[in-house]
Amino acid sequence: MKLSSTALLASLAIVGGAVTSLAFTSPSTITTSRTSAKYSAVDSSALRMSATMDEASSVVTVNGAIGGMRRKKTKEERLELASKGLQVHVIGLSIHHAQVEVREKLAIPEAEWNDQSNLICSTGQVEEAAILSTCNRFEIYFAASDAHEANARVMEYLAERSGLPVSVLRKNIFMLQGDDAVWHLMRVAGGLDSLVVGEGQILSQVRQCHLHSIEEDGSGGKVLSRLLNNAVAAGKRVRSETNISKGSVSISSAAVELSEARCMDDLNLPFSEARLAVVGAGTMTRLLVTHLASRGLERITIVNRSLARPQELQEQFPDVDIEICLVDKLWDVIKRSDIVYTATSST
């Protein structure tokens, strides 16, 4: 889908406005001079930021140590530190930067986002953390007063989780901080960083990241909760005030539109009469079946390693005749099908 220059400029302007609104306002108890030092641009206030960070670090080291080991800070302590010069960072990998096998080793189910965020914060170098893990990206947003220690802690966590050496991880990840990290999140929420520009699923995923971060067992404090909340608001404005979400807004819908457009030319038969097969039975398959059913397709074959998920899809789509085949029948299904969609991470 091509985005018109007008729509693109509008979306960038909206996102830019959201960034401006994200100038994290300090509590009324903090003086104007400290607020200026805390929230001014990195390049113009590095020395003042450094002084503020050093002060916060010394407090954490003395008060947060138990027998020489850092302890995890309480939510109240994280909120207090949020007023002492925390800077936003993001370390992650996406379909644009990383190999598939690396993404797979780092992927975290949504049910574990808070547990893993707590683990990142457990050693004390990172004050706040929130995880966004989807099929196409893995990103850790975090806030800390000492950038060097925080980045080192997150890299240590990634190496432990993936079992990969840091040298391999560095070839696949990106690292951003300050305004660059904020701008990146705004682009993600707005759908500008997606494989299909403008797709809407990522906005829902950013919203879930925000909601998890502010839960009782979440590791988001004043900084990240405000950042993520504003990112969700910016993503909504981009979609409501521009045409970025018109047309195909996901990989699955784009695949269906392409196959429908090419079916008569390549197969010489209407799309509604084509014999369809889908390999895999996860979220992408569910979206595919949704789009196919909306176009009147009534018979689909699903090939999967197990029966549980395809059977769930049968229950969700009672009006579609879904035939289930196990993976040992894959080549037989391919031979008799006109169009085959692959929606699986298995190799």
Side-chain angles (χ1 to χ4, degrees), residues 135-193:
C135 54
N136 286 329
R137 71 176 67 246
F138 173 83
E139 297 176 351
I140 300 175
Y141 292 90
F142 57 100
S145 55
D146 188 313
H148 178 74
E149 286 191 2
N151 284 321
R153 167 57 190 150
V154 174
M155 288 303 300
E156 177 187 42
Y157 165 80
L158 294 177
E160 290 175 352
R161 177 169 181 81
S162 65
L164 298 172
V166 173
S167 59
V168 173
L169 290 172
R170 287 191 178 277
K171 295 177 182 178
N172 289 273
I173 66 168
F174 63 88
M175 306 173 71
L176 300 170
Q177 66 180 29
D179 290 346
D180 291 335
V182 173
W183 178 246
H184 171 76
L185 178 57
M186 296 301 158
R187 285 179 54 84
V188 169
L192 295 174
D193 193 60

Side-chain angles (χ1 to χ4, degrees), residues 2-20:
K2 291 187 178 179
L3 183 66
S4 68
S5 57
T6 303
L8 179 58
L9 289 173
S11 64
L12 292 177
I14 291 170
V15 175
V19 173
T20 302

Side-chain angles (χ1 to χ4, degrees), residues 222-242:
K222 186 180 297 183
V223 174
L224 286 188
S225 62
R226 182 104 183 251
L227 170 64
L228 290 165
N229 186 50
N230 276 273
V232 173
K236 291 179 179 178
R237 288 190 62 191
V238 166
R239 288 165 176 79
S240 64
E241 299 180 23
T242 74

Side-chain angles (χ1 to χ4, degrees), residues 42 49-50 53-54 57 85-91 125-127 142-155 170 175-178:
V42 175
M49 286 287 290
S50 175
M53 291 177 183
D54 289 343
S57 291
L86 298 184
Q87 189 176 41
V88 176
H89 304 259
V90 58
I91 292 180
Q125 293 94 336
V126 175
E127 314 299 346
F142 57 100
S145 55
D146 188 313
H148 178 74
E149 286 191 2
N151 284 321
R153 167 57 190 150
V154 174
M155 288 303 300
R170 287 191 178 277
M175 306 173 71
L176 300 170
Q177 66 180 29

Side-chain angles (χ1 to χ4, degrees), residues 100 103-104 135 278-285 288 303-305 309 327 330 340-347:
V100 174
R103 294 205 312 271
E104 290 176 349
C135 54
V278 184
V279 181
T283 301
M284 295 302 294
T285 297
L288 265 171
V303 181
N304 198 51
R305 288 177 294 183
R309 284 191 171 183
V327 72
L330 174 62
V340 178
Y341 303 95
T342 57
T344 177
S345 60
S346 61
T347 56

Side-chain angles (χ1 to χ4, degrees), residues 49-71:
M49 286 287 290
S50 175
T52 306
M53 291 177 183
D54 289 343
E55 177 186 352
S57 291
S58 63
V59 174
V60 173
T61 303
V62 174
N63 296 334
I66 300 178
M69 297 294 291
R70 293 180 187 236
R71 64 173 175 83

